[in-house]
Amino acid sequence: MHELLTVEEMSRADRWAVARGTSGLTLMENAGKAVAEAVMDRFERTSVAVLCGPGNNGGDGFVAARHLSAAGWSVTLYLLGPRENLKGDAAEMARRWNGAIHALGADAGRGANLIIDAIFGAGLSRPVEGDVARLIDRINEDRTPVVAVDMPSGLDGNTGKARGAAFKAALTVTFFRAKPGHKLLGGRLHCGALLVRDIGIDEKALHDILPSAHENLPALWAGGFPRVRPEDHKYTRGHAVVVSGGVSSTGAARLGARGALRVGAGLVTVASPPAALMVNASQLTAVMVRSVNGADELTSFLEDKRRNAVLIGPGAGVGSDTREKVLALLLSGAAAVLDADALTSFEDIPRDLFVAIQGYFAGPVVLTPHEGEFKRIFKEAEGSKLERARAAAKQAGAIVVLKGPDTVIAAPDGRAAINTNAGPELATAGSGDVLAGLITGLLAQNMAPFEAACAAVWLHGEAGAAFGPGLIAEDLPEMLPAILRELFEG
């Protein structure tokens, strides 16, 4: 269930099901019942306030209230706006509720030990203000547990951004598929635990909707992950090259090289300036070191097409020398991962980089900026993190890995994945260099670039979580064997 549906796509899924014989009342009944069951599974029986809005989210709340009351829970229901304003399925579910209906104001739910938020859901189109905002702020301050129906009220389902006040839920129950706003960082921090429940929409709906956003899970890319075959040897598993910086900044390249080697590249070479050759050689064993001085020598070095994937940027230095090496790399036809200084070196002339990426000779290209580097290169990108990454990928003609706790991987064709397994332990020097090396190592093994970037980001997050507190970047590659074994053999 890695597909993510926008609010609009989820509405299409509802209509798809209705057009094929599943009534809207059935979908609403199933949704509200799923919420009630989640509450009963996870909380001791207590007093609960159900806060209902004027739309279908409120209808789900009426159903949940009915099922909880039937199970012996003490339920008080509040409705935003007059009951006679309810329409369609929501009006019918209000009719089926036999209890009292109280006006929803700033004091709603006071004294309850549990809140069910069924006010707005994911389709919120305007900021939350007035009494509802004061209600949300008060409940958040009181820290009364909140179970959100579909999406905590106040959050945009597509972006995860708060529109004014927004509930901080302990549990969110959504239906059929999660939405981008559940996975992007702002929304994720408000949702608490997330449950996705079946309400009677057939999986075949996805074939018509064709969602382009996904949660970054192995199901998205494991089928294309390079596996070692009995007939393989080191030359069939690709040759990754990592371009090193000068004497004082060689460690980043070595971290990238170690990542490429651990993820399965058959050979890895650090292309080192002559002055840094001994520094690099003294620190490397399985990784080879070669003297490569400047763009012209890099061009010559890459004439051997067995050297098929190249990482440049970590510790490379910002300036014309790095720009020239990047352009030489893009002309070589090798798969390219451009990170850190390789991006910042084009801060004043990003169009030159995009033209080179989209040139006739360029191979697959992956850009791996953090937010600061992203803003230097894609100055005009706006919107949510997902929207910005997609726009950047289309503009550059490359896979863009916009890093962070909710890393977004985007392709020029609109495909995108949101990663959710990266913990705070990854916030350590050199962590991004290892990630860039993982992508390079997978590209060297001819994994498709979007899938390679997704796989590397997921493995990187798993490695950090597996090590836990005290992690330094050197630890990340060493966690990979166990993770890969569990992924493919466990």
Side-chain angles (χ1 to χ4, degrees):
M1 295 177 65
H2 54 77
E3 301 91 352
L4 300 176
L5 299 186
T6 65
V7 174
E8 297 74 19
E9 288 170 338
M10 187 61 214
S11 294
R12 286 173 57 195
D14 287 337
R15 294 194 299 271
W16 187 95
V18 169
R20 286 155 180 81
T22 303
S23 71
L25 277 173
T26 297
L27 296 175
M28 187 173 286
E29 179 69 26
N30 291 343
K33 184 179 179 183
V35 172
E37 290 174 345
V39 169
M40 290 186 281
D41 286 346
R42 288 163 176 77
F43 296 91
E44 296 293 331
R45 187 180 299 179
T46 187
S47 59
V48 57
V50 181
L51 313 181
C52 295
N56 284 342
N57 198 244
D60 297 340
F62 274 100
V63 176
R66 171 161 44 86
H67 283 279
L68 287 170
S69 180
W73 289 55
S74 173
V75 178
T76 307
L77 188 142
Y78 299 84
L79 176 63
L80 180 62
R83 177 174 180 168
E84 54 269 22
N85 286 357
L86 294 174
K87 300 289 191 294
D89 297 336
E92 173 58 23
M93 292 309 184
R95 188 189 68 77
R96 297 182 186 184
W97 166 248
N98 294 323
I101 298 177
H102 303 274
L104 191 152
D107 287 331
R110 193 180 290 278
N113 293 322
L114 181 67
I115 303 292
I116 295 180
D117 161 32
I119 304 177
F120 295 127
L124 186 67
S125 59
R126 63 185 187 279
V128 176
E129 300 171 337
D131 280 350
V132 178
R134 287 187 283 275
L135 167 67
I136 291 172
D137 288 341
R138 192 203 86 228
I139 291 173
N140 285 342
E141 289 171 6
D142 291 345
R143 298 188 177 182
T144 307
V146 174
V147 176
V149 179
D150 190 27
M151 178 72 69
S153 290
L155 293 184
D156 184 306
N158 290 337
T159 68
K161 292 183 178 179
R163 291 178 174 268
F167 274 116
K168 293 180 179 177
L171 174 68
T172 297
V173 184
T174 194
F175 316 111
F176 185 52
R177 290 295 186 273
K179 298 174 181 65
H182 291 123
K183 302 300 179 179
L184 292 168
L185 190 61
R188 197 196 316 162
L189 295 179
H190 278 261
C191 287
L194 178 67
L195 298 179
V196 181
R197 289 293 178 256
D198 173 30
I199 57 171
I201 302 174
D202 195 285
E203 301 284 312
K204 294 177 182 176
L206 297 172
H207 298 307
D208 287 354
I209 296 170
L210 296 175
S212 58
H214 305 264
E215 183 177 1
N216 186 25
L217 296 173
L220 184 62
W221 43 262
F225 196 91
R227 314 287 185 92
V228 180
R229 303 165 298 180
E231 68 271 23
D232 273 340
H233 50 79
K234 62 185 178 184
Y235 293 106
T236 63
R237 298 183 64 195
H239 189 159
V241 175
V242 182
V243 179
S244 172
V247 175
S248 63
S249 55
T250 57
R254 292 195 297 273
L255 286 168
R258 186 72 173 179
L261 192 65
R262 272 294 188 201
V263 84
L267 300 97
V268 180
T269 297
V270 169
S272 174
L277 195 65
M278 293 308 297
V279 174
N280 279 319
S282 67
Q283 298 291 324
L284 296 170
T285 48
V287 174
M288 299 179 288
V289 184
R290 293 291 183 272
S291 176
V292 179
N293 191 27
D296 289 343
E297 289 194 11
L298 182 61
T299 296
S300 299
F301 189 67
L302 296 179
E303 286 177 356
D304 184 340
K305 298 307 176 185
R306 293 176 298 179
R307 295 164 180 153
N308 61 331
V310 183
L311 165 61
I312 184 170
V318 175
S320 59
D321 181 64
T322 297
R323 281 198 303 273
E324 290 170 3
K325 289 177 181 176
V326 169
L327 297 175
L329 163 56
L330 295 174
L331 283 170
S332 74
V337 178
L338 309 184
D339 183 41
D341 294 346
L343 299 173
T344 301
S345 291
F346 286 88
E347 179 175 7
D348 296 329
I349 47 171
R351 188 174 182 279
D352 287 11
L353 176 61
F354 305 153
V355 169
I357 289 172
Q358 296 170 51
Y360 180 79
F361 295 103
V365 179
V366 180
L367 312 181
T368 58
H370 57 56
E371 283 284 0
E373 292 156 352
F374 183 89
K375 291 173 183 176
R376 292 174 199 137
I377 300 297
F378 302 103
K379 299 177 177 64
E380 298 179 3
E382 296 180 347
S384 71
K385 189 169 186 176
L386 178 60
E387 292 165 334
R388 290 185 293 119
R390 275 180 165 153
K394 184 175 181 180
Q395 182 182 7
I399 306 300
V400 170
V401 178
L402 180 50
K403 296 183 291 192
D406 55 349
T407 292
V408 175
I409 306 100
D413 61 9
R415 287 177 297 159
I418 302 171
N419 195 69
T420 60
N421 72 342
E425 62 275 350
L426 290 173
T428 184
S431 172
D433 304 323
V434 175
L435 172 60
L438 297 179
I439 300 171
T440 309
L442 292 174
L443 291 175
Q445 297 170 79
N446 294 312
M447 192 174 183
F450 176 73
E451 288 76 7
C454 289
V457 169
W458 187 87
L459 291 169
H460 189 249
E462 288 294 294
F467 191 94
L471 173 81
I472 60 174
E474 288 94 324
D475 300 319
L476 289 166
E478 310 319 306
M479 303 308 297
L480 288 179
I483 292 167
L484 292 170
R485 190 179 305 114
E486 181 177 354
L487 181 63
F488 293 115
E489 300 175 12

